[in-house]
Amino acid sequence: IKSSAASDVYKRQLLTLTEGKYHQVRRMLAAVGAPVASLRRVSIGRLKLEDLNLEPGAWTPIRPDMI
């Protein structure tokens, strides 16, 4: 976990998971007294989601060779 202060009220956390379960990040941070206000996935495997240039709510098929 890497932490950086985003403001006096919120902190930004960068987590890297190799495997995850439903709501795992929320449960992990709640267990140490850090409730989660929002989450954003930035990559899946080596695929960086920003490289797909998708609009919010849009989707695209992902081939196995992409991840």
Side-chain angles (χ1 to χ4, degrees):
I1 297 176
K2 293 182 182 178
S3 181
S4 64
S7 72
D8 291 337
V9 178
Y10 299 104
K11 284 191 175 187
R12 188 173 301 184
Q13 305 289 332
L14 173 64
L15 293 126
T16 302
L17 298 177
T18 56
E19 179 179 320
K21 304 281 187 210
Y22 187 70
H23 289 288
Q24 179 178 355
V25 171
R26 291 184 189 275
R27 287 193 307 267
M28 288 170 36
L29 291 174
V32 295
V36 175
S38 67
L39 288 174
R40 184 176 63 150
R41 182 184 303 264
V42 296
S43 66
I44 301 171
R46 64 177 189 237
L47 174 66
K48 298 204 180 321
L49 299 180
E50 65 186 23
D51 295 344
L52 296 176
N53 297 318
L54 296 174
E55 294 294 323
W59 64 275
T60 188
I62 298 176
R63 299 180 316 270
D65 65 303
M66 296 169 76
I67 54 175

